[in-house]
Amino acid sequence: FSLSLAYGRKANDKVGCGYALLGVGGISRILGKLRHSQSYYLKAGRLFAKSQDVFAQAYSFCGIANALRQKGDLTLSKKFYLKSYRLYCSLEDWVDLAYVLWGLGEVYLRLAQLKKALPYLQKSERLFKKYNETRGEVLAGLSIAHCLHAQGKTDRASRMFKQAYELARRAHIYPYLEIFT
């Protein structure tokens, strides 16, 4: 992505630079460099703000929201998720919308607003299942398990956790280990 960014700059290709910044922002978040991640997504968002690329705008808002959520700035994170939500709805991009719903659920979960969190998490899980997005389905299942456990529904939570873990294991993916998701 860094090389793409360099080539984009050399060619004065704002779109290419914007997409490279989105990629660098995601990699930075996965590495736990949350301040950098947020900065890259903000730069990308500025490049796409006046464009007609609604997907890139939604993606940058979601990336900013993810970084903010990971940093613990939950109120601001929620605002960016809602901006992203509106744009992904307009595109009918249901898989990316499901990730936004999951992110909102995670925000409410971290705010200990369990009754608000659960519907977002459940809706995200339904969309992930419908569109065969295994990683998202695992993330949603794990979050639902955490939410149920926090509500004292430990047996249901344990079943959900086991189902999500087994799904990940069968798919040879590791969302249950990703802390900077």
Side-chain angles (χ1 to χ4, degrees):
F1 288 115
S2 296
L3 190 55
S4 290
L5 182 58
Y7 285 135
R9 286 180 176 147
K10 187 174 182 178
N12 198 28
D13 177 2
K14 289 184 181 182
V15 172
C17 287
Y19 275 96
L21 287 166
L22 292 174
V24 175
I27 300 254
S28 297
R29 189 188 73 248
I30 290 166
L31 294 173
K33 298 177 179 181
L34 303 174
R35 190 173 46 80
H36 291 96
S37 176
Q38 181 182 347
S39 174
Y40 289 125
Y41 282 123
L42 283 166
K43 287 176 187 173
R46 283 193 292 274
L47 286 175
F48 291 117
K50 293 180 182 176
S51 77
Q52 294 180 355
D53 193 339
V54 176
F55 172 80
Q57 292 169 17
Y59 196 100
S60 63
F61 287 146
C62 185
I64 294 164
N66 286 334
L68 289 165
R69 175 178 48 82
Q70 287 291 338
K71 287 171 48 182
D73 192 342
L74 302 175
T75 302
L76 192 54
S77 174
K78 186 168 65 169
K79 289 179 183 177
F80 278 95
Y81 276 130
L82 292 173
K83 288 179 179 190
S84 183
Y85 175 89
R86 285 188 284 280
L87 294 176
Y88 279 135
C89 281
S90 76
L91 295 171
E92 298 182 358
D93 182 341
W94 307 123
V95 172
D96 285 318
L97 180 69
Y99 278 106
V100 170
L101 292 168
W102 173 79
L104 281 165
E106 279 288 305
V107 164
Y108 286 120
L109 192 57
R110 292 179 187 197
L111 290 170
Q113 296 177 6
L114 306 178
K115 289 183 180 182
K116 279 188 176 181
L118 193 57
Y120 283 104
L121 298 171
Q122 290 170 327
K123 186 170 183 180
S124 73
E125 182 190 40
R126 285 191 299 275
L127 286 170
F128 288 135
K129 281 183 181 179
K130 182 175 181 177
Y131 294 100
N132 298 311
E133 178 65 24
T134 305
R135 179 178 174 272
E137 191 177 339
V138 171
L139 289 170
L142 295 171
S143 296
I144 291 168
H146 295 146
C147 190
L148 291 171
H149 178 70
Q151 292 175 334
K153 300 172 184 173
T154 304
D155 289 340
R156 269 183 67 200
S158 291
R159 284 193 302 276
M160 282 295 300
F161 185 88
K162 183 178 178 184
Q163 287 172 351
Y165 175 78
E166 288 300 321
L167 178 61
R169 202 174 63 73
R170 284 192 308 273
H172 305 286
I173 58 175
Y174 304 94
Y176 52 87
L177 296 176
E178 299 171 15
I179 61 169
F180 296 113
T181 295

Short mmCIF file of all heavy atoms in Angstrom, two decimals, residues 73-113:
data_model
loop_
_atom_site.label_atom_id
_atom_site.label_comp_id
_atom_site.label_asym_id
_atom_site.label_seq_id
_atom_site.Cartn_x
_atom_site.Cartn_y
_atom_site.Cartn_z
N ASP A 73 -12.57 6.14 22.11
CA ASP A 73 -13.37 7.35 21.91
C ASP A 73 -14.72 6.92 21.31
O ASP A 73 -14.98 7.07 20.12
CB ASP A 73 -12.65 8.33 21.00
CG ASP A 73 -13.30 9.71 20.99
OD1 ASP A 73 -14.47 9.83 21.39
OD2 ASP A 73 -12.62 10.67 20.56
N LEU A 74 -15.55 6.37 22.16
CA LEU A 74 -16.76 5.68 21.71
C LEU A 74 -17.83 6.62 21.19
O LEU A 74 -18.53 6.30 20.22
CB LEU A 74 -17.30 4.80 22.85
CG LEU A 74 -16.30 3.75 23.34
CD1 LEU A 74 -16.86 3.02 24.55
CD2 LEU A 74 -15.91 2.79 22.24
N THR A 75 -17.97 7.79 21.77
CA THR A 75 -18.99 8.73 21.32
C THR A 75 -18.69 9.22 19.91
O THR A 75 -19.57 9.23 19.04
CB THR A 75 -19.10 9.93 22.30
OG1 THR A 75 -19.41 9.41 23.60
CG2 THR A 75 -20.17 10.89 21.86
N LEU A 76 -17.46 9.59 19.67
CA LEU A 76 -17.07 10.05 18.33
C LEU A 76 -17.09 8.89 17.34
O LEU A 76 -17.50 9.06 16.19
CB LEU A 76 -15.69 10.71 18.36
CG LEU A 76 -15.27 11.48 17.12
CD1 LEU A 76 -16.30 12.52 16.72
CD2 LEU A 76 -13.92 12.15 17.38
N SER A 77 -16.70 7.72 17.79
CA SER A 77 -16.74 6.53 16.94
C SER A 77 -18.16 6.29 16.43
O SER A 77 -18.37 6.03 15.24
CB SER A 77 -16.26 5.32 17.74
OG SER A 77 -16.42 4.14 16.98
N LYS A 78 -19.13 6.40 17.33
CA LYS A 78 -20.53 6.18 16.95
C LYS A 78 -20.96 7.16 15.86
O LYS A 78 -21.64 6.76 14.91
CB LYS A 78 -21.42 6.32 18.19
CG LYS A 78 -22.87 5.97 17.94
CD LYS A 78 -23.66 5.85 19.23
CE LYS A 78 -23.75 7.14 19.96
NZ LYS A 78 -24.72 7.14 21.06
N LYS A 79 -20.53 8.40 15.94
CA LYS A 79 -20.90 9.40 14.93
C LYS A 79 -20.37 9.00 13.55
O LYS A 79 -21.08 9.13 12.54
CB LYS A 79 -20.37 10.78 15.32
CG LYS A 79 -21.10 11.39 16.49
CD LYS A 79 -20.52 12.73 16.87
CE LYS A 79 -21.24 13.27 18.11
NZ LYS A 79 -20.68 14.55 18.56
N PHE A 80 -19.14 8.51 13.49
CA PHE A 80 -18.58 8.11 12.21
C PHE A 80 -19.23 6.83 11.69
O PHE A 80 -19.42 6.68 10.47
CB PHE A 80 -17.06 7.98 12.29
CG PHE A 80 -16.36 9.30 12.16
CD1 PHE A 80 -15.99 10.02 13.28
CD2 PHE A 80 -16.10 9.84 10.90
CE1 PHE A 80 -15.36 11.25 13.16
CE2 PHE A 80 -15.47 11.07 10.77
CZ PHE A 80 -15.11 11.78 11.90
N TYR A 81 -19.55 5.90 12.59
CA TYR A 81 -20.28 4.70 12.14
C TYR A 81 -21.62 5.09 11.52
O TYR A 81 -22.02 4.52 10.51
CB TYR A 81 -20.52 3.73 13.30
CG TYR A 81 -19.37 2.81 13.61
CD1 TYR A 81 -18.89 2.69 14.91
CD2 TYR A 81 -18.76 2.04 12.62
CE1 TYR A 81 -17.85 1.82 15.22
CE2 TYR A 81 -17.71 1.18 12.92
CZ TYR A 81 -17.26 1.08 14.22
OH TYR A 81 -16.23 0.22 14.52
N LEU A 82 -22.30 6.04 12.13
CA LEU A 82 -23.62 6.45 11.60
C LEU A 82 -23.49 7.11 10.23
O LEU A 82 -24.34 6.91 9.35
CB LEU A 82 -24.34 7.35 12.60
CG LEU A 82 -24.77 6.64 13.89
CD1 LEU A 82 -25.33 7.63 14.90
CD2 LEU A 82 -25.78 5.53 13.61
N LYS A 83 -22.42 7.89 10.01
CA LYS A 83 -22.18 8.46 8.68
C LYS A 83 -21.95 7.35 7.67
O LYS A 83 -22.50 7.37 6.56
CB LYS A 83 -20.96 9.39 8.71
CG LYS A 83 -21.17 10.69 9.43
CD LYS A 83 -19.90 11.52 9.41
CE LYS A 83 -20.09 12.85 10.12
NZ LYS A 83 -18.94 13.74 9.90
N SER A 84 -21.14 6.39 8.05
CA SER A 84 -20.86 5.26 7.18
C SER A 84 -22.12 4.44 6.92
O SER A 84 -22.37 4.01 5.78
CB SER A 84 -19.78 4.38 7.82
OG SER A 84 -19.42 3.33 6.98
N TYR A 85 -22.92 4.25 7.95
CA TYR A 85 -24.17 3.49 7.85
C TYR A 85 -25.06 4.08 6.75
O TYR A 85 -25.57 3.36 5.89
CB TYR A 85 -24.89 3.52 9.20
CG TYR A 85 -26.25 2.87 9.20
CD1 TYR A 85 -26.38 1.52 9.47
CD2 TYR A 85 -27.39 3.61 8.94
CE1 TYR A 85 -27.63 0.91 9.47
CE2 TYR A 85 -28.64 3.01 8.93
CZ TYR A 85 -28.75 1.67 9.20
OH TYR A 85 -29.99 1.06 9.18
N ARG A 86 -25.26 5.38 6.78
CA ARG A 86 -26.13 6.04 5.79
C ARG A 86 -25.61 5.82 4.36
O ARG A 86 -26.39 5.55 3.44
CB ARG A 86 -26.26 7.52 6.10
CG ARG A 86 -27.16 7.82 7.28
CD ARG A 86 -27.43 9.31 7.45
NE ARG A 86 -26.32 10.04 8.03
CZ ARG A 86 -26.02 10.08 9.31
NH1 ARG A 86 -26.76 9.42 10.18
NH2 ARG A 86 -24.99 10.77 9.75
N LEU A 87 -24.31 5.93 4.19
CA LEU A 87 -23.75 5.77 2.85
C LEU A 87 -23.82 4.33 2.35
O LEU A 87 -24.18 4.08 1.20
CB LEU A 87 -22.31 6.29 2.82
CG LEU A 87 -22.15 7.79 3.05
CD1 LEU A 87 -20.68 8.18 3.11
CD2 LEU A 87 -22.88 8.60 1.99
N TYR A 88 -23.48 3.37 3.22
CA TYR A 88 -23.56 1.97 2.80
C TYR A 88 -25.02 1.57 2.51
O TYR A 88 -25.26 0.79 1.60
CB TYR A 88 -22.96 1.04 3.85
CG TYR A 88 -21.46 0.95 3.80
CD1 TYR A 88 -20.71 1.02 4.97
CD2 TYR A 88 -20.77 0.77 2.60
CE1 TYR A 88 -19.32 0.92 4.95
CE2 TYR A 88 -19.38 0.68 2.57
CZ TYR A 88 -18.68 0.75 3.75
OH TYR A 88 -17.30 0.65 3.72
N CYS A 89 -25.96 2.12 3.26
CA CYS A 89 -27.38 1.87 2.97
C CYS A 89 -27.74 2.39 1.57
O CYS A 89 -28.44 1.71 0.81
CB CYS A 89 -28.29 2.52 4.00
SG CYS A 89 -28.41 1.62 5.54
N SER A 90 -27.25 3.58 1.25
CA SER A 90 -27.56 4.16 -0.06
C SER A 90 -26.99 3.32 -1.19
O SER A 90 -27.53 3.30 -2.30
CB SER A 90 -27.06 5.61 -0.15
OG SER A 90 -25.66 5.65 -0.32
N LEU A 91 -25.91 2.61 -0.92
CA LEU A 91 -25.27 1.75 -1.92
C LEU A 91 -25.84 0.33 -1.91
O LEU A 91 -25.52 -0.47 -2.79
CB LEU A 91 -23.76 1.66 -1.67
CG LEU A 91 -22.97 2.94 -1.84
CD1 LEU A 91 -21.55 2.74 -1.35
CD2 LEU A 91 -22.98 3.38 -3.29
N GLU A 92 -26.63 0.03 -0.89
CA GLU A 92 -27.14 -1.33 -0.66
C GLU A 92 -25.98 -2.33 -0.56
O GLU A 92 -26.05 -3.44 -1.07
CB GLU A 92 -28.14 -1.73 -1.74
CG GLU A 92 -29.37 -0.83 -1.72
CD GLU A 92 -30.42 -1.22 -2.75
OE1 GLU A 92 -30.22 -2.18 -3.53
OE2 GLU A 92 -31.48 -0.56 -2.75
N ASP A 93 -24.92 -1.90 0.11
CA ASP A 93 -23.73 -2.72 0.34
C ASP A 93 -23.92 -3.40 1.70
O ASP A 93 -23.49 -2.90 2.74
CB ASP A 93 -22.48 -1.84 0.33
CG ASP A 93 -21.19 -2.63 0.52
OD1 ASP A 93 -21.24 -3.77 1.00
OD2 ASP A 93 -20.13 -2.08 0.19
N TRP A 94 -24.59 -4.53 1.67
CA TRP A 94 -25.05 -5.16 2.91
C TRP A 94 -23.93 -5.77 3.74
O TRP A 94 -24.01 -5.78 4.97
CB TRP A 94 -26.13 -6.19 2.59
CG TRP A 94 -27.23 -5.61 1.76
CD1 TRP A 94 -27.66 -6.05 0.55
CD2 TRP A 94 -28.03 -4.45 2.05
NE1 TRP A 94 -28.67 -5.24 0.06
CE2 TRP A 94 -28.91 -4.25 0.97
CE3 TRP A 94 -28.06 -3.54 3.10
CZ2 TRP A 94 -29.83 -3.21 0.92
CZ3 TRP A 94 -28.98 -2.50 3.04
CH2 TRP A 94 -29.85 -2.34 1.98
N VAL A 95 -22.88 -6.26 3.12
CA VAL A 95 -21.79 -6.85 3.89
C VAL A 95 -21.03 -5.76 4.64
O VAL A 95 -20.78 -5.88 5.85
CB VAL A 95 -20.84 -7.67 2.99
CG1 VAL A 95 -19.59 -8.11 3.76
CG2 VAL A 95 -21.57 -8.89 2.43
N ASP A 96 -20.67 -4.69 3.95
CA ASP A 96 -19.96 -3.61 4.64
C ASP A 96 -20.88 -2.95 5.67
O ASP A 96 -20.42 -2.55 6.75
CB ASP A 96 -19.42 -2.60 3.64
CG ASP A 96 -18.19 -3.14 2.91
OD1 ASP A 96 -17.34 -3.76 3.57
OD2 ASP A 96 -18.09 -2.93 1.70
N LEU A 97 -22.16 -2.87 5.36
CA LEU A 97 -23.12 -2.35 6.34
C LEU A 97 -23.14 -3.24 7.58
O LEU A 97 -23.21 -2.75 8.71
CB LEU A 97 -24.52 -2.27 5.74
CG LEU A 97 -25.59 -1.75 6.69
CD1 LEU A 97 -25.37 -0.28 7.00
CD2 LEU A 97 -26.97 -1.96 6.09
N ALA A 98 -23.04 -4.55 7.39
CA ALA A 98 -23.02 -5.47 8.53
C ALA A 98 -21.83 -5.21 9.43
O ALA A 98 -21.95 -5.26 10.66
CB ALA A 98 -23.02 -6.92 8.03
N TYR A 99 -20.68 -4.87 8.84
CA TYR A 99 -19.51 -4.54 9.67
C TYR A 99 -19.75 -3.25 10.46
O TYR A 99 -19.32 -3.13 11.61
CB TYR A 99 -18.24 -4.42 8.82
CG TYR A 99 -17.60 -5.76 8.53
CD1 TYR A 99 -17.70 -6.32 7.27
CD2 TYR A 99 -16.92 -6.46 9.52
CE1 TYR A 99 -17.13 -7.56 7.00
CE2 TYR A 99 -16.35 -7.70 9.26
CZ TYR A 99 -16.46 -8.24 8.00
OH TYR A 99 -15.89 -9.47 7.75
N VAL A 100 -20.45 -2.31 9.86
CA VAL A 100 -20.80 -1.07 10.57
C VAL A 100 -21.74 -1.39 11.72
O VAL A 100 -21.56 -0.88 12.84
CB VAL A 100 -21.42 -0.04 9.61
CG1 VAL A 100 -22.00 1.14 10.37
CG2 VAL A 100 -20.38 0.44 8.60
N LEU A 101 -22.74 -2.23 11.48
CA LEU A 101 -23.67 -2.61 12.54
C LEU A 101 -22.93 -3.33 13.66
O LEU A 101 -23.20 -3.09 14.85
CB LEU A 101 -24.78 -3.51 11.98
CG LEU A 101 -25.74 -2.84 11.01
CD1 LEU A 101 -26.61 -3.89 10.30
CD2 LEU A 101 -26.61 -1.83 11.74
N TRP A 102 -22.01 -4.21 13.30
CA TRP A 102 -21.21 -4.90 14.32
C TRP A 102 -20.40 -3.87 15.13
O TRP A 102 -20.35 -3.94 16.35
CB TRP A 102 -20.27 -5.92 13.66
CG TRP A 102 -19.31 -6.52 14.64
CD1 TRP A 102 -19.56 -7.51 15.54
CD2 TRP A 102 -17.95 -6.13 14.84
NE1 TRP A 102 -18.44 -7.76 16.29
CE2 TRP A 102 -17.44 -6.93 15.87
CE3 TRP A 102 -17.12 -5.19 14.24
CZ2 TRP A 102 -16.12 -6.81 16.31
CZ3 TRP A 102 -15.81 -5.07 14.69
CH2 TRP A 102 -15.32 -5.89 15.71
N GLY A 103 -19.79 -2.91 14.43
CA GLY A 103 -19.01 -1.87 15.12
C GLY A 103 -19.87 -1.07 16.08
O GLY A 103 -19.46 -0.80 17.22
N LEU A 104 -21.07 -0.71 15.64
CA LEU A 104 -21.99 0.01 16.54
C LEU A 104 -22.35 -0.85 17.74
O LEU A 104 -22.41 -0.36 18.88
CB LEU A 104 -23.26 0.43 15.79
CG LEU A 104 -23.13 1.66 14.92
CD1 LEU A 104 -24.31 1.78 13.96
CD2 LEU A 104 -23.02 2.92 15.77
N GLY A 105 -22.60 -2.14 17.49
CA GLY A 105 -22.88 -3.05 18.60
C GLY A 105 -21.73 -3.12 19.59
O GLY A 105 -21.93 -3.12 20.80
N GLU A 106 -20.52 -3.15 19.05
CA GLU A 106 -19.34 -3.17 19.92
C GLU A 106 -19.23 -1.87 20.73
O GLU A 106 -18.85 -1.91 21.91
CB GLU A 106 -18.07 -3.35 19.07
CG GLU A 106 -17.79 -4.77 18.69
CD GLU A 106 -17.33 -5.59 19.88
OE1 GLU A 106 -16.35 -5.23 20.56
OE2 GLU A 106 -17.96 -6.64 20.12
N VAL A 107 -19.56 -0.74 20.12
CA VAL A 107 -19.53 0.53 20.85
C VAL A 107 -20.51 0.46 22.02
O VAL A 107 -20.14 0.78 23.17
CB VAL A 107 -19.87 1.72 19.92
CG1 VAL A 107 -20.22 2.97 20.71
CG2 VAL A 107 -18.72 2.00 18.96
N TYR A 108 -21.74 0.04 21.75
CA TYR A 108 -22.73 -0.04 22.83
C TYR A 108 -22.34 -1.09 23.87
O TYR A 108 -22.57 -0.89 25.07
CB TYR A 108 -24.12 -0.34 22.26
CG TYR A 108 -24.74 0.85 21.58
CD1 TYR A 108 -25.10 0.80 20.24
CD2 TYR A 108 -24.96 2.04 22.27
CE1 TYR A 108 -25.65 1.90 19.60
CE2 TYR A 108 -25.51 3.14 21.64
CZ TYR A 108 -25.86 3.06 20.31
OH TYR A 108 -26.41 4.15 19.70
N LEU A 109 -21.72 -2.16 23.44
CA LEU A 109 -21.25 -3.18 24.38
C LEU A 109 -20.20 -2.60 25.32
O LEU A 109 -20.27 -2.79 26.54
CB LEU A 109 -20.68 -4.36 23.58
CG LEU A 109 -20.38 -5.65 24.31
CD1 LEU A 109 -21.62 -6.20 25.00
CD2 LEU A 109 -19.86 -6.69 23.31
N ARG A 110 -19.27 -1.84 24.77
CA ARG A 110 -18.22 -1.22 25.59
C ARG A 110 -18.75 -0.11 26.48
O ARG A 110 -18.14 0.22 27.50
CB ARG A 110 -17.09 -0.71 24.71
CG ARG A 110 -16.34 -1.85 24.06
CD ARG A 110 -15.26 -1.38 23.17
NE ARG A 110 -14.69 -2.50 22.44
CZ ARG A 110 -13.54 -2.47 21.83
NH1 ARG A 110 -12.81 -1.37 21.87
NH2 ARG A 110 -13.11 -3.51 21.18
N LEU A 111 -19.89 0.46 26.10
CA LEU A 111 -20.55 1.46 26.95
C LEU A 111 -21.47 0.81 27.98
O LEU A 111 -22.15 1.49 28.73
CB LEU A 111 -21.37 2.43 26.08
CG LEU A 111 -20.58 3.39 25.21
CD1 LEU A 111 -21.50 4.11 24.22
CD2 LEU A 111 -19.82 4.40 26.07
N ALA A 112 -21.47 -0.52 28.00
CA ALA A 112 -22.33 -1.33 28.89
C ALA A 112 -23.81 -1.06 28.65
O ALA A 112 -24.62 -1.19 29.55
CB ALA A 112 -21.95 -1.11 30.36
N GLN A 113 -24.15 -0.71 27.42
CA GLN A 113 -25.55 -0.52 27.01
C GLN A 113 -25.96 -1.79 26.26
O GLN A 113 -26.12 -1.80 25.04
CB GLN A 113 -25.71 0.73 26.16
CG GLN A 113 -25.39 2.00 26.92
CD GLN A 113 -25.49 3.25 26.05
OE1 GLN A 113 -25.89 3.20 24.91
NE2 GLN A 113 -25.10 4.37 26.62
#
